[in-house]
């Protein structure tokens, strides 16, 4: 770094409370194995909110997710990192727990060159800073559908009818990618706000977005049902199973916790999701596959960049951004989201470098 600051602003999450504070800049941390990123934009993910509430199981191998969706510039790269000062990068939070939160003016990531190559990923689109979208959640969607094709031995989704539960960021990106892979999509969302958002932003057509209540009118209809709400509860999995045709496959993507099962007491859906397996089950006389996907890899980011660059009309990821705030307003906003007092469709972004 040309001039190392004495202090920097960073958020902390402690005992369910998010605070922003000025902390000493850890000058000792600038070693050969360190990359320092100055975020331009950070996205708020539902997983961040869950960590505030304490309703998410944190995996030891990758650590907490709080503040993991970001696009920023490398402002310091240690000699052994393989990165360069000035590189525009994003994070893959699935690789190492030795990183600090993205809800900050600086993010510190430590690791070997091999680890950092997977964890700190260059963004090939310079224009992303003016037309912002979040590579990490899209890479997870790319990963999940590629894994689904692999587990089901399908070359594509051509001609398939895909039902999606949840029109949050995940559900809308699943709709984009499933359509790209040849499927017809129907997205079912509980509340009106996200349905209106999907229509008004022209992410989904009138025929593609439905109330979750309407799922009852679509029983036995879908070749695949993607379960992408905040939590893959038993109720929602029951709805997904009812929507599925005989021999259809469910893709469990929304949150699960240790011990969750579906059909109740039969299949360990938390393990299926985290270990990315497919298992068969018979439920109400119907033969179903139950599959899962979890996280993403560098290749999924690269495929995400390729899809966005080559097919911008099919992947209007920028339209997911619904609101932009500054870092100062972040603690109150996420605490409001945690209590349920505030809710926004699409993606809320925090502009940091963009504010300077
Ligand atoms: N498997 C993976 O690798 C992976 C990666 C990233 C995220 N995820 C999961 O994906 C989930 C969704 O992420 P997101 O970014 O789409 O979140 P989001 O934008 O906050 O959307 C949340 C969605 O869940 C719905 N929902 C919440 N509670 C519900 C309920 N009780 N019944 C029916 N619908 C309900 C919401 O519907 P309303 O509009 O009605 O509130 C909304 O559609 C996350 O919570 C996380 O668990 C998984």
């Amino acid at each position: 770094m040309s001039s190392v600051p004495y202090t920097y602003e960073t958020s902390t999450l402690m005992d369910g409370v998010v605070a922003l504070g000025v902390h000493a800049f850890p000058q000792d941390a600038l070693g050969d194995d360190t990359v320092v990123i100055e975020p331009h934009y950070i996205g708020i993910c539902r997983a961040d909110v869950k960590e505030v509430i304490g309703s998410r199981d944190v995996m030891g191998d990758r650590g907490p997710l709080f503040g993991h969706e970001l696009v920023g510039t490398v402002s310091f790269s240690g000699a052994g990192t393989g990165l360069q000062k000035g590189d525009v990068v994003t994070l893959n939070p699935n690789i190492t727990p030795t990183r600090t939160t993205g809800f900050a003016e600086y993010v510190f990531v430590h690791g070997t060159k091999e680890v950092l190559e997977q964890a700190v990923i260059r963004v090939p689109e310079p224009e992303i800073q003016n037309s912002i979208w979040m590579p990490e959640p899209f890479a997870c969607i790319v990963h999940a559908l590629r894994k689904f094709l692999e587990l089901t031995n399908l070359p594509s989704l051509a001609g398939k009818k895909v039902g999606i539960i949840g029109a949050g960021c995940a559900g809308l990106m699943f709709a984009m990618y499933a359509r790209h892979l040849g499927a017809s999509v129907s997205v079912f969302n509980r509340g009106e706000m996200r349905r209106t958002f999907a229509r008004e932003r022209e992410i989904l057509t009138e025929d593609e977005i439905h109330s979750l209540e309407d799922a009852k009118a679509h029983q036995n209809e879908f070749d695949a049902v993607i379960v992408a709400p905040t939590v893959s509860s038993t109720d929602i999995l029951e709805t997904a199973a009812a929507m599925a045709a005989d021999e259809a496959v469910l893709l469990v993507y929304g949150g699960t916790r240790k011990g969750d099962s579906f059909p109740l007491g039969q299949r360990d859906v938390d393990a299926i999701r985290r270990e990315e397996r497919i298992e068969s089950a018979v439920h109400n006389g119907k033969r179903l596959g139950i599959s899962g996907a979890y996280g993403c890899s560098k290749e999924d980011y690269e495929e995400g960049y390729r899809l966005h660059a080559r097919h911008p009309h099919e992947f209007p990821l920028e339209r997911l951004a619904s609101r932009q705030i500054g870092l100062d307003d972040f603690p109150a906003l996420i605490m409001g989201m945690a209590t349920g007092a505030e809710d926004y469709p699409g993606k809320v972004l925090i502009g940091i470098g963009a504010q300077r």
Side-chain angles (χ1 to χ4, degrees):
M1 290 171 90
S2 44
S3 62
V4 177
Y6 289 108
T7 59
Y8 77 116
E9 277 197 300
T10 186
S11 307
T12 50
L13 166 56
M14 215 172 286
D15 299 329
V17 177
V18 177
L20 186 66
V22 176
H23 293 245
F25 190 92
Q27 313 211 3
D28 299 351
L30 302 185
D32 284 354
D33 68 343
T34 303
V35 176
V36 183
I37 304 166
E38 281 185 64
H40 307 149
Y41 290 99
I42 309 165
I44 300 180
C45 174
R46 187 55 54 183
D48 298 320
V49 179
K50 287 188 196 173
E51 288 188 359
V52 175
I53 303 166
S55 66
R56 181 174 180 274
D57 296 336
V58 172
M59 300 290 108
D61 61 346
R62 52 199 87 183
L65 285 177
F66 187 71
H68 65 283
E69 288 184 10
L70 65 84
V71 171
T73 302
V74 171
S75 57
F76 171 84
S77 55
T81 64
L83 284 132
Q84 301 293 323
K85 186 176 170 184
D87 285 346
V88 176
V89 295
T90 190
L91 265 184
N92 183 352
N94 300 293
I95 306 299
T96 171
T98 57
R99 60 189 155 77
T100 56
T101 181
F103 297 126
E105 290 181 302
Y106 294 97
V107 178
F108 299 81
V109 192
H110 306 280
T112 61
K113 191 174 176 182
E114 291 70 32
V115 164
L116 292 171
E117 197 177 310
Q118 300 299 319
V120 182
I121 298 172
R122 287 186 184 85
V123 181
E125 298 184 8
E127 63 279 15
I128 198 167
Q129 295 177 57
N130 305 317
S131 185
I132 188 74
W133 58 280
M134 283 294 138
E136 190 270 346
F138 186 46
C140 287
I141 301 303
V142 169
H143 177 84
L145 274 187
R146 290 166 91 176
K147 178 57 71 176
F148 180 85
L149 294 179
E150 179 192 315
L151 291 172
T152 53
N153 292 316
L154 286 171
S156 78
L157 293 177
K160 301 288 179 195
K161 292 184 81 169
V162 173
I164 298 170
I165 299 182
C169 288
L172 297 181
M173 289 187 289
F174 269 123
M176 293 177 200
Y177 194 29
R179 270 187 317 220
H180 176 78
L181 293 170
S184 63
V185 299
S186 301
V187 181
F188 296 83
N189 197 68
R190 177 186 59 177
E192 174 58 39
M193 178 180 68
R194 287 184 172 81
R195 299 200 297 267
T196 304
F197 180 80
R199 270 193 301 266
E200 287 185 352
R201 293 283 171 114
E202 297 182 359
I203 295 169
L204 297 176
T205 65
E206 201 68 47
D207 291 344
E208 289 173 328
I209 181 77
H210 310 268
S211 155
L212 188 53
E213 276 289 302
D214 291 349
K216 293 187 195 84
H218 293 266
Q219 301 217 348
N220 308 318
E221 193 174 306
F222 297 99
D223 302 302
V225 182
I226 300 172
V227 183
T230 302
V231 177
S232 296
S233 62
T234 306
D235 280 3
I236 291 174
L237 289 166
E238 287 287 353
T239 301
M243 288 162 59
D246 189 33
E247 299 198 343
V249 181
L250 310 187
L251 165 53
V252 181
Y253 186 82
T256 54
R257 300 198 76 174
K258 210 169 167 42
D260 287 356
S261 64
F262 186 79
L264 216 53
Q266 286 190 43
R267 296 286 174 267
D268 181 339
V269 281
D270 187 54
I272 286 174
R273 186 173 84 105
R274 293 188 199 280
E275 294 166 20
E276 307 195 309
R277 301 202 302 254
I278 185 164
E279 292 185 15
S280 53
V282 176
H283 183 52
N284 293 338
K286 208 185 279 182
R287 292 159 296 178
L288 295 175
I290 302 175
S291 72
Y294 191 64
C296 54
S297 69
K298 185 178 183 181
E299 290 68 37
D300 302 309
Y301 284 77
E302 288 167 351
E303 177 64 2
Y305 296 135
R306 195 190 67 77
L307 290 169
H308 182 252
R310 290 200 188 161
H311 309 282
H313 300 296
E314 290 179 50
F315 296 96
L317 298 163
E318 306 78 1
R319 284 190 221 156
L320 288 172
S322 58
R323 186 158 184 221
Q324 196 180 310
I325 60 165
L327 192 55
D328 290 348
D329 295 324
F330 165 67
L333 185 127
I334 196 162
M335 292 308 293
M337 290 172 81
T339 59
E342 295 191 61
D343 188 22
Y344 304 93
K347 180 65 62 194
V348 177
L349 296 169
I350 301 158
I352 300 187
Q355 285 194 313
R356 288 188 183 146

